[in-house]
Amino acid sequence: SQQGEEDPQALSIQEGENATMNCSYKTSINNLQWYRQNSGRGLVHLILIRSNEREKHSGRLRVTLDTSKKSSSLLITASRAADTASYFCATALTDSWGKLQFGAGTQVVVTP
Amino acid sequence: DTGVSQDPRHKITKRGQNVTFRCDPISEHNRLYWYRQTLGQGPEFLTYFQNEAQLEKSRLLSDRFSAERPKGSFSTLEIQRTEQGDSAMYLCASSLALNSGQSSYEQYFGPGTRLTVT
């Protein structure tokens, strides 16, 4: 079963705009990670936020985590056409030895 | 940096045949994971190794599936008597765990093996 659920399922924006996507999960986590996947290819790790952290930045990415609401958000600022991809949140449960549970993803299309 | 590699990239097989996939993780990584991904979905965990020990298997992994990681290096995933429902992308990932506990770390994924069962 998939632990995380992303919202929205799809997002279409123009270059330069910001893209925000949300992830909700169900059980207690060790950390939450965001991954990007370009069409039909492997996943690339973007950012990891631990359960005791509330916000993290990496370049144009900003991730927040609210453990009381069991939710996270990923913000991509000043989007580029190259950001077109599917974005997945993945949760690592507290007793999971690191296995990740992924949501179904948000498909982001950035048009020039 | 060679990254995680998987072979083959694509496999077409007839129902009932056996297939084997190989994953070569990043050389210093001690943890290796297999996931399966179907169209429009996120990856689903199949199994996990720490060094050569297989520590966890998903209930998704039926008796037809077996995975090995001899000597704690590369890993193989074998599917026996393939069924059309096995058609999916099989992803391998590796990570470096700095302790032997249950902490989790970022995972590095390979490009995947796309299996089509006809």
Side-chain angles (χ1 to χ4, degrees), chain A residues 2 5 9 14 20 27 42-43 49-50 58 66 68 72 76 88-89 95 107 109 111:
Chain A
Q2 302 203 312
E5 292 185 6
Q9 290 185 327
Q14 294 196 316
T20 300
T27 57
L43 288 92
I49 186 165
R50 300 199 180 280
S58 177
D66 186 336
S68 66
S72 173
I76 305 172
F88 295 91
C89 72
D95 59 350
Q107 284 191 308
V109 174
T111 54

mmCIF file of all heavy atoms in Angstrom, chain A residues 2 5 9 14 20 27 42-43 49-50 58 66 68 72 76 88-89 95 107 109 111:
data_model
loop_
_atom_site.group_PDB
_atom_site.id
_atom_site.type_symbol
_atom_site.label_atom_id
_atom_site.label_comp_id
_atom_site.label_asym_id
_atom_site.label_seq_id
_atom_site.Cartn_x
_atom_site.Cartn_y
_atom_site.Cartn_z
ATOM 1 N N GLN A 2 0.398 2.323 -0.578
ATOM 2 C CA GLN A 2 1.188 3.525 -0.671
ATOM 3 C C GLN A 2 0.830 4.428 0.495
ATOM 4 O O GLN A 2 -0.319 4.784 0.700
ATOM 5 C CB GLN A 2 0.968 4.186 -2.024
ATOM 6 C CG GLN A 2 1.330 3.229 -3.158
ATOM 7 C CD GLN A 2 1.667 3.934 -4.444
ATOM 8 O OE1 GLN A 2 0.932 4.796 -4.852
ATOM 9 N NE2 GLN A 2 2.776 3.562 -5.062
ATOM 10 N N GLU A 5 0.252 10.474 -0.226
ATOM 11 C CA GLU A 5 -0.637 10.893 -1.300
ATOM 12 C C GLU A 5 -0.267 12.306 -1.682
ATOM 13 O O GLU A 5 -0.230 13.196 -0.824
ATOM 14 C CB GLU A 5 -2.108 10.855 -0.848
ATOM 15 C CG GLU A 5 -2.631 9.463 -0.607
ATOM 16 C CD GLU A 5 -4.116 9.452 -0.275
ATOM 17 O OE1 GLU A 5 -4.747 10.525 -0.350
ATOM 18 O OE2 GLU A 5 -4.634 8.384 0.067
ATOM 19 N N GLN A 9 -2.601 15.984 -8.518
ATOM 20 C CA GLN A 9 -2.070 14.885 -9.324
ATOM 21 C C GLN A 9 -1.287 15.427 -10.510
ATOM 22 O O GLN A 9 -0.342 14.797 -10.973
ATOM 23 C CB GLN A 9 -3.200 13.984 -9.821
ATOM 24 C CG GLN A 9 -3.864 13.165 -8.722
ATOM 25 C CD GLN A 9 -4.882 12.203 -9.270
ATOM 26 O OE1 GLN A 9 -5.533 12.491 -10.272
ATOM 27 N NE2 GLN A 9 -5.032 11.052 -8.644
ATOM 28 N N GLN A 14 3.793 28.044 -16.178
ATOM 29 C CA GLN A 14 4.710 28.635 -17.147
ATOM 30 C C GLN A 14 6.057 28.879 -16.486
ATOM 31 O O GLN A 14 6.150 29.030 -15.258
ATOM 32 C CB GLN A 14 4.125 29.931 -17.689
ATOM 33 C CG GLN A 14 2.859 29.694 -18.526
ATOM 34 C CD GLN A 14 2.514 30.892 -19.370
ATOM 35 O OE1 GLN A 14 2.568 32.013 -18.879
ATOM 36 N NE2 GLN A 14 2.178 30.657 -20.629
ATOM 37 N N THR A 20 3.892 24.446 -6.372
ATOM 38 C CA THR A 20 3.748 23.900 -5.026
ATOM 39 C C THR A 20 2.964 22.603 -5.085
ATOM 40 O O THR A 20 1.911 22.531 -5.719
ATOM 41 C CB THR A 20 3.010 24.881 -4.101
ATOM 42 O OG1 THR A 20 3.752 26.091 -4.023
ATOM 43 C CG2 THR A 20 2.879 24.287 -2.693
ATOM 44 N N THR A 27 1.267 7.367 8.864
ATOM 45 C CA THR A 27 1.845 6.864 10.110
ATOM 46 C C THR A 27 3.117 7.617 10.482
ATOM 47 O O THR A 27 3.620 8.428 9.715
ATOM 48 C CB THR A 27 2.147 5.363 9.993
ATOM 49 O OG1 THR A 27 3.031 5.169 8.882
ATOM 50 C CG2 THR A 27 0.884 4.562 9.764
ATOM 51 N N GLY A 42 14.748 6.608 -14.103
ATOM 52 C CA GLY A 42 14.956 6.394 -12.675
ATOM 53 C C GLY A 42 14.678 7.649 -11.871
ATOM 54 O O GLY A 42 14.505 8.738 -12.410
ATOM 55 N N LEU A 43 14.618 7.493 -10.579
ATOM 56 C CA LEU A 43 14.317 8.602 -9.689
ATOM 57 C C LEU A 43 15.587 9.285 -9.205
ATOM 58 O O LEU A 43 16.600 8.639 -8.975
ATOM 59 C CB LEU A 43 13.535 8.107 -8.462
ATOM 60 C CG LEU A 43 12.101 7.709 -8.739
ATOM 61 C CD1 LEU A 43 12.010 6.240 -9.050
ATOM 62 C CD2 LEU A 43 11.225 8.041 -7.536
ATOM 63 N N ILE A 49 14.021 15.551 4.611
ATOM 64 C CA ILE A 49 13.725 16.327 5.813
ATOM 65 C C ILE A 49 13.387 15.343 6.931
ATOM 66 O O ILE A 49 12.588 14.418 6.752
ATOM 67 C CB ILE A 49 12.594 17.348 5.558
ATOM 68 C CG1 ILE A 49 12.408 18.255 6.782
ATOM 69 C CG2 ILE A 49 11.283 16.684 5.139
ATOM 70 C CD1 ILE A 49 11.565 19.513 6.486
ATOM 71 N N ARG A 50 14.054 15.525 8.065
ATOM 72 C CA ARG A 50 13.873 14.593 9.177
ATOM 73 C C ARG A 50 12.650 14.990 10.003
ATOM 74 O O ARG A 50 12.185 16.133 9.954
ATOM 75 C CB ARG A 50 15.131 14.546 10.043
ATOM 76 C CG ARG A 50 16.344 14.099 9.244
ATOM 77 C CD ARG A 50 17.488 13.589 10.090
ATOM 78 N NE ARG A 50 18.602 13.195 9.241
ATOM 79 C CZ ARG A 50 18.681 12.035 8.589
ATOM 80 N NH1 ARG A 50 17.721 11.128 8.716
ATOM 81 N NH2 ARG A 50 19.713 11.761 7.829
ATOM 82 N N SER A 58 17.011 23.820 -0.543
ATOM 83 C CA SER A 58 18.097 23.352 -1.384
ATOM 84 C C SER A 58 17.952 24.024 -2.733
ATOM 85 O O SER A 58 17.069 23.681 -3.513
ATOM 86 C CB SER A 58 18.061 21.828 -1.540
ATOM 87 O OG SER A 58 19.082 21.397 -2.427
ATOM 88 N N ASP A 66 5.067 19.138 8.496
ATOM 89 C CA ASP A 66 4.215 19.341 9.661
ATOM 90 C C ASP A 66 3.802 17.962 10.164
ATOM 91 O O ASP A 66 2.882 17.352 9.637
ATOM 92 C CB ASP A 66 2.989 20.177 9.279
ATOM 93 C CG ASP A 66 2.141 20.556 10.483
ATOM 94 O OD1 ASP A 66 2.193 19.845 11.519
ATOM 95 O OD2 ASP A 66 1.413 21.545 10.408
ATOM 96 N N SER A 68 2.410 17.152 12.918
ATOM 97 C CA SER A 68 1.111 17.112 13.601
ATOM 98 C C SER A 68 -0.019 16.898 12.598
ATOM 99 O O SER A 68 -1.026 16.268 12.908
ATOM 100 C CB SER A 68 0.882 18.394 14.393
ATOM 101 O OG SER A 68 0.755 19.504 13.524
ATOM 102 N N SER A 72 3.493 17.378 4.134
ATOM 103 C CA SER A 72 4.695 18.054 3.682
ATOM 104 C C SER A 72 4.362 18.789 2.399
ATOM 105 O O SER A 72 3.419 18.435 1.680
ATOM 106 C CB SER A 72 5.807 17.031 3.422
ATOM 107 O OG SER A 72 6.939 17.636 2.827
ATOM 108 N N ILE A 76 8.854 24.681 -5.670
ATOM 109 C CA ILE A 76 9.911 24.934 -6.650
ATOM 110 C C ILE A 76 9.741 26.379 -7.094
ATOM 111 O O ILE A 76 8.691 26.744 -7.651
ATOM 112 C CB ILE A 76 9.811 24.005 -7.866
ATOM 113 C CG1 ILE A 76 9.789 22.542 -7.432
ATOM 114 C CG2 ILE A 76 10.977 24.253 -8.832
ATOM 115 C CD1 ILE A 76 9.495 21.566 -8.572
ATOM 116 N N PHE A 88 7.690 12.840 -6.515
ATOM 117 C CA PHE A 88 7.152 11.878 -5.550
ATOM 118 C C PHE A 88 7.636 12.210 -4.148
ATOM 119 O O PHE A 88 8.819 12.525 -3.962
ATOM 120 C CB PHE A 88 7.629 10.457 -5.878
ATOM 121 C CG PHE A 88 7.129 9.917 -7.176
ATOM 122 C CD1 PHE A 88 7.856 10.082 -8.339
ATOM 123 C CD2 PHE A 88 5.926 9.227 -7.239
ATOM 124 C CE1 PHE A 88 7.403 9.570 -9.557
ATOM 125 C CE2 PHE A 88 5.463 8.708 -8.439
ATOM 126 C CZ PHE A 88 6.200 8.896 -9.595
ATOM 127 N N CYS A 89 6.727 12.125 -3.195
ATOM 128 C CA CYS A 89 7.183 12.136 -1.812
ATOM 129 C C CYS A 89 7.305 10.694 -1.351
ATOM 130 O O CYS A 89 6.560 9.816 -1.807
ATOM 131 C CB CYS A 89 6.249 12.928 -0.905
ATOM 132 S SG CYS A 89 4.670 12.146 -0.549
ATOM 133 N N ASP A 95 10.396 2.332 11.901
ATOM 134 C CA ASP A 95 10.965 1.001 12.113
ATOM 135 C C ASP A 95 11.171 0.275 10.799
ATOM 136 O O ASP A 95 10.970 -0.929 10.700
ATOM 137 C CB ASP A 95 10.055 0.182 13.029
ATOM 138 C CG ASP A 95 8.650 0.030 12.461
ATOM 139 O OD1 ASP A 95 8.348 0.708 11.467
ATOM 140 O OD2 ASP A 95 7.868 -0.765 13.006
ATOM 141 N N GLN A 107 2.468 15.160 -11.427
ATOM 142 C CA GLN A 107 3.080 15.415 -12.740
ATOM 143 C C GLN A 107 3.112 16.920 -12.975
ATOM 144 O O GLN A 107 2.056 17.563 -13.001
ATOM 145 C CB GLN A 107 2.263 14.749 -13.843
ATOM 146 C CG GLN A 107 2.454 13.250 -13.924
ATOM 147 C CD GLN A 107 1.825 12.684 -15.189
ATOM 148 O OE1 GLN A 107 0.665 12.936 -15.460
ATOM 149 N NE2 GLN A 107 2.595 11.922 -15.937
ATOM 150 N N VAL A 109 4.228 20.031 -15.449
ATOM 151 C CA VAL A 109 4.623 20.434 -16.796
ATOM 152 C C VAL A 109 4.895 21.928 -16.764
ATOM 153 O O VAL A 109 4.026 22.713 -16.356
ATOM 154 C CB VAL A 109 3.519 20.126 -17.832
ATOM 155 C CG1 VAL A 109 3.902 20.679 -19.189
ATOM 156 C CG2 VAL A 109 3.282 18.622 -17.902
ATOM 157 N N THR A 111 5.838 25.033 -19.107
ATOM 158 C CA THR A 111 5.900 25.441 -20.508
ATOM 159 C C THR A 111 6.708 26.727 -20.648
ATOM 160 O O THR A 111 6.604 27.624 -19.807
ATOM 161 C CB THR A 111 4.491 25.651 -21.071
ATOM 162 O OG1 THR A 111 3.784 26.572 -20.223
ATOM 163 C CG2 THR A 111 3.733 24.349 -21.128
#
